[in-house]
Amino acid sequence: MTSSNENAESKKSAKPSRRRANRIAAMQFIYAWGVSPCVPEKLPEMLFDFFTSQTEPREYYAFAEELVAGTLENIAKIDDVISDCAKNWTLARIARCDLAVLRLAIYELLYRTDIPPIVSINEAIDLAKIYSTEDSHRFVNGMLDRVKAHLTRPLREAKG
């Protein structure tokens, strides 16, 4: 029998799909931005520096750049949703990695109708399993279940 940590380690060491690699990069950037936010005018420079320092060519991360830009463009609304769903938790109390995962996933759920909600939720849970604490995936799952309950679109389908 393998533990959750062993599964997370094997997922971390396996080469992720291109979409997963882009979500990982987006989550990492959102995490870094959350620790040290920049003024909007500096964002393009920060994105350029971040994505050119990655292992793949910058073009490989086009999806990640879309995710980051959309998340940060809508950060106030996303943080309001997190605050509404986080019973007895403030944003400051949520682990920074979990907050980055939640911000990314909630952006996808609310604004990316081209991605089925169930995919965004599953990806977020996997990111939490790989990059955060042992129990983080449960917290992320619970939070995203609350957001999912308010969605009016099909959970397993993408729109246009």
Side-chain angles (χ1 to χ4, degrees):
M1 176 181 253
T2 60
S3 73
S4 179
N5 284 342
E6 289 171 348
N7 287 336
E9 283 304 314
S10 68
K11 285 182 182 182
K12 193 185 273 190
S13 62
K15 183 164 173 65
S17 70
R18 185 174 186 149
R19 287 280 249 204
R20 167 78 51 93
N22 272 257
R23 279 190 177 92
I24 291 167
M27 184 267 303
Q28 290 171 335
F29 185 90
I30 293 164
Y31 173 89
W33 178 88
V35 171
S36 181
C38 68
V39 294
E41 299 80 41
K42 291 268 188 196
L43 186 60
E45 181 183 336
M46 281 185 69
L47 283 168
F48 180 83
D49 291 346
F50 179 81
F51 287 111
T52 54
S53 71
Q54 298 297 308
T55 57
E56 300 291 340
R58 184 162 184 252
E59 303 78 41
Y60 181 87
Y61 297 102
F63 178 58
E65 286 195 60
E66 287 177 25
L67 295 175
V68 168
T71 300
L72 298 183
E73 182 179 310
N74 296 288
I75 197 72
K77 168 73 173 153
I78 291 166
D79 284 353
D80 285 346
V81 170
I82 293 170
S83 293
D84 290 345
C85 291
K87 308 257 189 265
N88 302 317
W89 288 77
T90 63
L91 288 180
R93 199 170 152 221
I94 297 172
R96 291 287 151 216
C97 185
D98 296 350
L99 186 58
V101 169
L102 286 169
R103 285 172 164 166
L104 175 60
I106 291 170
Y107 165 70
E108 288 187 30
L109 291 172
L110 299 181
Y111 299 99
R112 293 298 300 253
T113 58
D114 60 317
I115 303 170
I118 203 74
V119 170
S120 299
I121 293 168
N122 287 340
E123 286 290 320
I125 292 167
D126 283 349
L127 289 178
K129 283 179 182 176
I130 297 168
Y131 292 98
S132 200
T133 66
E134 191 172 323
D135 293 325
S136 286
H137 69 282
R138 290 182 187 92
F139 175 73
V140 167
N141 186 35
M143 291 286 290
L144 296 178
D145 274 348
R146 290 183 188 124
V147 176
K148 176 183 77 172
H150 298 287
L151 295 178
T152 58
R153 62 188 177 116
L155 297 178
R156 298 187 181 278
E157 296 174 23
K159 291 183 184 174

